[in-house]
Amino acid sequence: MSIRDFVILFLICAAWAFSTVLSKVVISDLNAPPLFYAAARFSLVALVCLPWLFPVPRPVWRIVTVGLCMGAGSFALVFIGLQTATPSATAIVSQLGVPITTVLSVIVLGEVIGWRRRLGILLAFSGTMVVMWDPEGVSASVGLAYVAASAVCASVGAIMMKQMSSVRPLQFQAWVGLVSAFPLILGTALFEEDVVARALSGGWTLVFAVLFAALVVSVCAHTMYYGLIKKYEANMIAPLTLMCPLITIGLGMWMTGDRLTPGAVIGSAVALAGVLLIAVRRNARLPISRAAMGGK
């Protein structure tokens, strides 16, 4: 990989990481409604990407389902989780998307995996469980349970996306934004209280967060990432995206005061080692399996 492309990939990972930490600040510290925040993000994505909406991908039901899984479902769950989960733990638990997608590729697509990726799956799940472990009992953090559910949702969407014919990156963003905005708007209207007052209290920080998440992350970073995937082998790109959770941990410690316990450090190391082991092995049927499943 050229130095220029590596710098681009680093900036992409940094944008994903900063977006996760910024979302934590907006949702937890500023008390912005998580469904409203997600609705605003995807409404803006749909508006900006509207020119790329056509031609309509076929079958329509599949792109709608993919959009709901990888957009509304995944982001609503992770934003709800960020109300109580730290950005650092969220970044690690989100990595469950990689082993879950690999497992689903075996079940749905008939992928055959060797012992190295089986070991990677085991390490990824084991390390994540250590991160999620509640030292006060046997239950996992409720917030991180939402993040784990988000990873499952995004993985289902990724598998369904693989079964479609080629969809251009901006066309994909247009459909994810379109099909996600309406259920999220309905969700915030039905389930969140004092939405207008809470949104206004977020001020310009909330506005900046929505603009950054929609334009920089969804439209620019994701599109550039898919450009790199087309240029290089996926098993070269995927391991490098592990920079994202590492940057998220650093930003989380700096911006939100995250504190890593020895158990969290060990669990994170084991989980990331497992993800790396999965990522460096060629996946014949599902070559594009991005870490963090959507770059929150």
Side-chain angles (χ1 to χ4, degrees):
M1 177 180 291
S2 68
I3 295 177
R4 171 183 173 275
D5 288 342
F6 178 80
V7 171
I8 290 174
L9 183 58
F10 174 81
L11 292 176
I12 291 170
C13 291
W16 290 342
F18 180 69
S19 181
T20 298
V21 180
L22 183 60
S23 296
K24 170 64 177 180
V25 171
V26 167
I27 293 168
S28 183
D29 296 348
L30 301 182
N31 195 33
L35 296 182
F36 170 82
Y37 178 52
R41 171 179 179 163
F42 284 108
S43 296
L44 183 56
V45 170
L47 182 63
V48 171
C49 295
L50 190 63
W52 289 275
L53 197 63
F54 299 100
V56 179
R58 302 292 178 179
V60 177
W61 71 267
R62 189 177 294 276
I63 190 63
V64 170
T65 305
V66 168
L68 290 174
C69 286
M70 302 187 74
S74 177
F75 281 82
L77 289 168
V78 80
F79 287 162
I80 292 172
L82 277 171
Q83 292 180 110
T84 54
T86 66
S88 300
T90 296
I92 299 301
V93 174
S94 294
Q95 299 304 305
L96 279 176
V98 177
I100 291 172
T101 303
T102 304
V103 171
L104 289 176
S105 74
V106 173
I107 297 171
V108 179
L109 304 179
E111 176 70 82
V112 177
I113 62 174
W115 69 268
R116 289 182 179 85
R117 274 191 290 169
R118 292 172 188 264
L119 177 60
I121 291 170
L122 178 62
L123 290 174
F125 279 108
S126 299
T128 302
M129 290 306 298
V130 172
V131 173
M132 294 178 66
W133 188 264
D134 183 352
E136 301 298 325
V138 296
S139 62
S141 160
V142 173
L144 291 179
Y146 277 106
V147 176
S150 168
V152 173
C153 195
S155 296
V156 171
I159 290 293
M160 295 187 68
M161 185 69 181
K162 180 59 182 176
Q163 295 173 307
M164 296 189 65
S165 56
S166 179
V167 179
R168 293 168 297 166
L170 287 175
Q171 184 184 29
F172 173 69
Q173 293 297 333
W175 277 93
V176 170
L178 181 68
V179 304
S180 296
F182 292 104
L184 288 170
I185 291 171
L186 181 62
T188 190
L190 292 177
F191 302 115
E192 294 181 329
E193 299 179 350
D194 301 322
V195 173
V196 175
R198 291 166 65 188
L200 290 175
S201 68
W204 288 107
T205 303
L206 176 59
V207 174
F208 172 77
V210 171
L211 291 173
F212 185 86
L215 302 181
V216 177
V217 177
S218 289
V219 177
C220 297
H222 288 359
T223 300
M224 289 190 294
Y225 174 80
Y226 287 121
L228 292 176
I229 281 289
K230 289 182 178 179
K231 186 174 181 179
Y232 298 98
E233 291 288 340
N235 59 342
M236 174 189 291
I237 298 292
L240 294 176
T241 60
L242 290 180
M243 290 187 291
C244 181
L246 297 177
I247 296 172
T248 304
I249 291 172
L251 289 175
M253 295 175 68
W254 174 45
M255 295 177 61
T256 63
D258 284 6
R259 294 291 182 266
L260 296 180
T261 64
V265 172
I266 294 171
S268 299
V270 172
L272 294 179
V275 171
L276 180 63
L277 198 56
I278 297 168
V280 296
R281 306 298 297 175
R282 180 182 294 277
N283 191 317
R285 295 186 183 274
L286 193 65
I288 300 178
S289 180
R290 177 161 53 85
M293 300 309 302
K296 306 296 191 273

